[in-house]
């Protein structure tokens, strides 16, 4: 099958500059509504990859996201949210972006075109066969990402990917590819839109399902979340009140004493 970049195909809409604000917003929203259905078709692929991640992390490994541009930023965001949400260490889920942290805010020219930089970035973290590396690239053609996964494959490191083009070089390189075809973008080629939304949804699914499997959620509550602001302290207090059927003052005291919702519940009455 020949490789066609659907993310680069011409938009289903034209003369965008002639549309009213309402028409623009309505049509963007119309396109966005198709994304969850596309992601749903990828659930078997996502499940296969998450199963690998859970096993590796249970055995002491780590999860790496690696990407460039919007894809890299999305990986960094998901990785950075795991410690505060689930109470895991900052080196359990790591997001790497072509051009380094500076590229999170401002594009670094041609960084994504390097065929060596991705592997070099991973080596700084002493990546090994205990880990899982997921390449993220809407196009599926980013050299920085593809070459990094090729090096990983050659070093017995499990690889996955998130891409939006079927039959792409990235999908063919990853051992556990996730391919979610969202079709042409509202603005032709602007893969930060539907493709970016699909990637964000998939990353949510990967990290959340993994953390639940690792026991980082009790019932439906983030019992290991970091109490890093007043909002989260209040949320934690309410969780304890609900779980133990006690008053706010007692719950707040327990939370302050034990430092986490999980510990407060576990040690109640001890």
């Amino acid at each position: 099958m020949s490789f066609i970049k659907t993310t680069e195909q011409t938009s289903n809409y034209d003369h965008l500059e002639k549309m009213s604000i309402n028409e623009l917003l309505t049509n963007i929203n119309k396109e966005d509504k198709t994304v969850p259905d596309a992601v749903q078709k990828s659930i078997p692929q996502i499940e296969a990859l998450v199963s690998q991640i859970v096993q590796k992390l249970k055995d002491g490994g780590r999860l790496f996201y690696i990407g460039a541009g919007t894809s890299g930023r999305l990986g960094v965001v998901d990785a950075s949210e795991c410690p505060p949400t689930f109470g895991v260490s900052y080196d359990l889920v790591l997001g790497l972006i072509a051009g380094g942290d500076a590229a999170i805010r401002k594009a670094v020219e041609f960084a994504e075109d390097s065929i060596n930089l991705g592997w070099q970035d991973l080596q700084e973290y002493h990546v090994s066969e205990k880990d899982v590396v997921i390449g993220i690239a809407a196009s599926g053609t980013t050299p920085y990402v593809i070459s990094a996964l090729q090096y990983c494959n050659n070093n017995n490191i499990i690889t996955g990917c998130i891409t939006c083009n079927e039959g792409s070089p990235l999908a063919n390189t990853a051992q556990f590819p996730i391919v979610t075809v969202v079709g042409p973008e509202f603005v032709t080629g602007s893969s930060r839109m539907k493709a970016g939304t699909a990637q964000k949804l998939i990353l949510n699914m990967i990290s959340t399902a993994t953390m639940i499997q690792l026991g980082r959620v009790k019932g439906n509550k983030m019992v290991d979340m970091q109490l890093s602001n007043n909002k989260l302290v209040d949320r934690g207090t309410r969780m304890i009140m609900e779980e133990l059927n006690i008053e706010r003052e007692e719950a707040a005291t327990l939370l302050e004493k034990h430092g986490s919702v999980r510990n407060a519940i576990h040690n109640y009455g001890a």
Side-chain angles (χ1 to χ4, degrees):
M1 184 180 67
S2 60
F3 171 50
I4 300 172
K5 279 191 189 179
T6 56
T7 55
E8 297 289 337
Q9 288 184 324
T10 301
S11 172
N12 295 319
Y13 304 80
D14 202 354
H15 307 299
L16 306 187
E17 71 279 9
K18 296 180 181 179
M19 292 183 184
S20 67
I21 293 174
N22 182 267
E23 287 173 324
L24 288 168
L25 300 179
T26 298
N27 288 329
I28 291 171
N29 181 245
K30 182 179 178 181
E31 287 298 299
D32 286 345
K33 287 178 180 178
T34 67
V35 176
D37 289 338
V39 172
Q40 182 180 23
K41 295 176 182 176
S42 301
I43 287 177
Q45 293 179 321
I46 301 170
E47 180 182 8
L49 179 53
V50 170
S51 296
Q52 296 293 320
I53 296 168
V54 169
Q55 190 57 57
K56 285 293 185 181
L57 266 56
K58 282 183 176 179
D59 291 340
R62 297 165 296 173
L63 171 60
F64 287 86
Y65 299 133
I66 187 165
T70 296
S71 297
R73 294 182 188 102
L74 288 168
V76 170
V77 167
D78 195 73
S80 67
E81 289 174 346
C82 286
T85 305
F86 301 108
V88 297
S89 66
Y90 279 91
D91 60 0
L92 184 67
V93 183
L94 296 145
L96 307 182
I97 181 171
D101 285 354
I104 295 172
R105 291 184 178 273
K106 185 178 180 181
V108 176
E109 290 186 3
F110 302 108
E112 69 175 57
D113 297 322
S114 171
I115 59 172
N116 297 311
L117 192 58
W119 178 242
Q120 290 173 14
D121 288 347
L122 285 167
Q123 284 188 304
E124 287 188 19
Y125 292 89
H126 306 290
V127 67
S128 75
E129 59 188 38
K130 294 175 63 177
D131 305 318
V132 177
V133 178
I134 300 178
I136 312 171
S139 67
T141 59
T142 308
Y144 172 85
V145 179
I146 296 168
S147 61
L149 262 58
Q150 289 171 336
Y151 277 110
C152 288
N153 289 338
N154 293 337
N155 286 273
N156 298 315
I157 299 167
I158 288 177
T159 57
C161 76
I162 305 172
T163 183
C164 296
N165 282 309
E166 197 167 6
S168 69
L170 180 59
N172 290 334
T173 300
Q175 298 163 24
F176 294 90
I178 298 170
V179 182
T180 302
V181 180
V182 295
E185 296 287 2
F186 180 72
V187 175
T188 299
S190 182
S191 56
R192 70 183 181 87
M193 301 185 76
K194 287 193 299 181
T197 300
Q199 290 173 326
K200 172 60 174 161
L201 292 176
I202 293 166
L203 287 165
N204 287 348
M205 295 166 79
I206 290 172
S207 57
T208 304
T210 296
M211 292 301 158
I212 292 171
Q213 288 287 302
L214 294 177
R216 289 288 172 171
V217 170
K218 178 178 172 59
N220 56 19
K221 303 295 196 300
M222 298 182 291
V223 294
D224 291 318
M225 66 181 179
Q226 293 178 354
L227 304 172
S228 55
N229 58 49
N230 290 333
K231 178 190 74 174
L232 297 179
V233 170
D234 178 67
R235 181 186 297 166
T237 301
R238 287 184 281 109
M239 285 183 193
I240 296 168
M241 290 170 63
E242 181 180 327
E243 180 71 20
L244 301 178
N245 194 26
I246 59 177
E247 296 299 320
R248 171 175 285 275
E249 185 176 352
E250 185 179 4
T253 300
L254 283 169
L255 185 59
E256 184 175 0
K257 177 181 178 181
H258 296 290
S260 77
V261 175
R262 181 186 296 277
N263 290 338
I265 293 172
H266 179 73
N267 292 295
Y268 180 65

